[in-house]
Amino acid sequence: MNYKALPKIDLHCHLDGSARPETLRELAVERNLQVADIESLRSSLIAPESCPSLDEYLKRFELAVQVMQDKASLERIAYEIFEDASYENVKYLEVRFGPLLHMNKGLNLDEIISSVLKGMNDAKEKYDIEGGIIIAALRTMPTDRLDDLIETGSKYLDKGLVGFDLASSEVAGFCDTFKPFVEKAKALGYKITIHAGETGVGKNVFDAVTIGADRIGHGIHIHSHQKAFDIVKKHKIVLETCPSSNVQTKAVTSMENHPIKDFMDAGILVTINTDNRTVSNTSMTKEVKRVMETFNLDLSDYHKIYEYSVQAAFTSDEIKEKLLAYIR
Ligand SMILES: [Zn+2]
C-alpha cells in the first residue's frame, strides 16, 4: 500500500514537538545559543523508543520552547509543520500549543496566538491542507493566567483558533482544578479536547468527558476503567490515539499491545495521530503504516478511522464534506 498517497487527518500534533531540527538549529544559532551539530541535535530531540517516563519525554521540548519566544519563530514553525504535513497528503491538521510558554521574552498573548495563526493561514493558502489551532493550558503551570489566555484566545475563534486543551503531565483527579476553565472556554465557543488516560489513570477520562471534553487526547487507559470506557462509548467521544508516542512514553508496552484495534472492535471511535512529529520521530505516513501493518487493517478499516477523524474535527460541515470527498 502507498501510505504516503493516502489522504490523512491529524487531530493531535504539538507545535513545539514538531519543529524541524534544522529550523531549531538555525533559530538557536541566530539567537547565540549553544547548540550541537545537526546530527547530535536531531538525536537529542528524538525521544528513545522507550523513554523512562512521560516527564523524560517532555524534556525533549526544551530547545523549541527556548527559541520560540518571538513572532518570527512561532510563525515559521507553524508554517513549516503545515507545509511538511501537506507533503505527505495530510488534508487536515490541528496543531496545539501552550501560549503561556512563549512569554519569556516579553511577547503578549495576542502576539503569540496571532503569529501561530499567521503561519498556519499562510501555509493553508499555499498548500492543499485545511486545519486549525488549539491552545493548551499546561497542567504543570500555575492557573492564574488561564482566564486571560481563554479570553484573549476567544478573539481568534473565527480566525483559525478552534479549540482548548489541557496538556502536559497527568495526575489523578486533575479535572477538579481545571473544570471552571474548561467550562469558561466552552461557553465562549471553543471546542474542547483534553489529554486524559494517557499514562495510567482511566478515571481521568471519565472526569474529562463529564466536565465537557468533546474529544480525548490518547484515552488509552479506558480499558482499565469501566465507567470511562462506557461514557466514551455511549457519548461517541473520539479518542486521539498517538501510537508511537504511546510506546515511547510507556503508556503501552509495545505497538502490538496498543489497544487501538480492540477499541475499534468494541465500537470505540479511534483515530491515528502523530503527537510530535520531531520528538516521536514520526509522520502521519509512518503512524498509519505502523498501525495498519501491526493490526492487519485493510483500506475499509482505514477509511472508518479517517471518517471518525472527520466527524471529530473542530471544523465546519463544508470542510468535513471536502475531507470526506477524498475517500469517496
Ligand atoms: Zn499530546
Side-chain angles (χ1 to χ4, degrees):
M1 176 140 8
N2 183 346
Y3 295 98
K4 193 173 173 188
L6 283 178
K8 291 176 281 292
I9 293 175
D10 188 354
L11 300 178
H12 190 128
C13 176
H14 291 263
L15 182 74
D16 52 1
S18 302
R20 292 176 191 160
E22 296 79 4
T23 299
L24 287 180
R25 186 165 194 286
E26 207 179 300
L27 294 171
V29 169
E30 278 171 24
R31 283 153 187 76
N32 298 316
L33 299 171
Q34 289 288 343
V35 63
D37 63 85
I38 187 68
E39 283 319 312
S40 322
L41 176 66
R42 199 188 301 280
S43 56
S44 74
L45 291 170
I46 298 170
E49 179 66 12
S50 183
C51 214
S53 67
L54 176 61
D55 293 306
E56 182 63 32
Y57 181 83
L58 295 173
K59 274 193 193 158
R60 313 276 152 179
F61 298 80
E62 282 169 6
L63 177 65
V65 172
Q66 213 181 342
V67 299
M68 291 160 77
Q69 297 295 338
D70 54 77
K71 295 197 276 184
S73 62
L74 286 162
E75 184 184 322
R76 174 172 171 184
I77 289 171
Y79 180 91
E80 289 178 353
I81 294 172
F82 278 85
E83 181 177 51
D84 290 346
S86 77
Y87 288 152
E88 54 153 350
N89 257 313
V90 172
K91 298 299 185 190
Y92 181 87
L93 169 65
E94 286 177 12
V95 169
R96 60 188 72 197
F97 80 114
L100 295 173
L101 289 173
H102 305 281
M103 304 181 84
N104 300 348
K105 294 222 167 116
L107 287 184
N108 64 38
L109 289 170
D110 274 296
E111 292 169 319
I112 293 165
I113 294 170
S114 59
S115 301
V116 171
L117 288 170
K118 180 163 192 322
M120 170 185 75
N121 288 326
D122 286 353
K124 274 160 70 171
E125 238 167 67
K126 182 156 179 209
Y127 298 101
D128 179 22
I129 187 164
E130 299 285 354
I133 299 294
I134 294 170
I135 54 171
L138 302 177
R139 292 178 289 222
T140 44
M141 291 177 83
T143 54
D144 56 336
R145 305 224 44 184
L146 290 184
D147 281 319
D148 190 14
L149 173 67
I150 294 165
E151 284 158 24
T152 305
S154 69
K155 291 187 278 177
Y156 300 89
L157 284 169
D158 58 350
K159 297 181 177 70
L161 200 158
V162 295
F164 180 70
D165 175 31
L166 301 178
S168 196
S169 302
E170 179 182 354
V171 295
F174 71 83
C175 286
D176 293 343
T177 311
F178 293 93
K179 182 171 184 261
F181 301 107
V182 169
E183 286 174 349
K184 177 177 183 147
K186 210 165 168 108
L188 284 169
Y190 289 86
K191 293 287 189 180
I192 308 292
T193 177
I194 297 179
H195 282 73
E198 178 178 7
T199 50
V201 190
K203 183 174 184 298
N204 282 343
V205 177
F206 179 82
D207 295 346
V209 175
T210 307
I211 66 169
D214 298 297
R215 299 193 317 233
I216 294 292
H218 303 286
I220 53 178
H221 283 274
I222 59 167
H223 64 63
S224 61
H225 194 275
Q226 193 60 45
K227 274 171 76 185
F229 187 94
D230 292 344
I231 201 171
V232 163
K233 187 167 174 179
K234 182 172 171 217
H235 293 280
K236 297 187 161 49
I237 301 291
V238 164
L239 301 185
E240 308 156 359
T241 60
C242 307
S244 294
S245 162
N246 295 152
V247 175
Q248 284 175 315
T249 59
K250 291 210 166 92
V252 294
T253 51
S254 68
M255 189 57 72
E256 290 70 22
N257 289 325
H258 198 287
I260 188 165
K261 176 69 165 61
D262 291 343
F263 284 173
M264 268 184 94
D265 294 343
I268 299 286
L269 311 184
V270 291
T271 59
I272 301 171
N273 309 279
T274 55
D275 210 4
N276 295 289
R277 298 176 67 96
T278 302
V279 175
S280 290
N281 190 23
T282 197
S283 62
M284 276 305 294
T285 305
K286 285 190 195 172
E287 292 303 303
V288 169
K289 179 173 194 285
R290 242 181 135 177
V291 170
M292 289 185 72
E293 290 182 351
T294 305
F295 298 103
N296 253 316
L297 304 186
D298 62 22
L299 196 59
S300 73
D301 296 320
Y302 175 69
H303 284 170
K304 228 185 270 178
I305 293 172
Y306 181 95
E307 280 176 23
Y308 298 153
S309 298
V310 174
Q311 196 178 314
F314 295 159
T315 190
S316 64
D317 290 344
E318 190 189 339
I319 289 178
K320 289 185 182 190
E321 274 310 307
K322 179 177 163 184
L323 296 173
L324 286 174
Y326 290 116
I327 58 162
R328 281 185 184 140

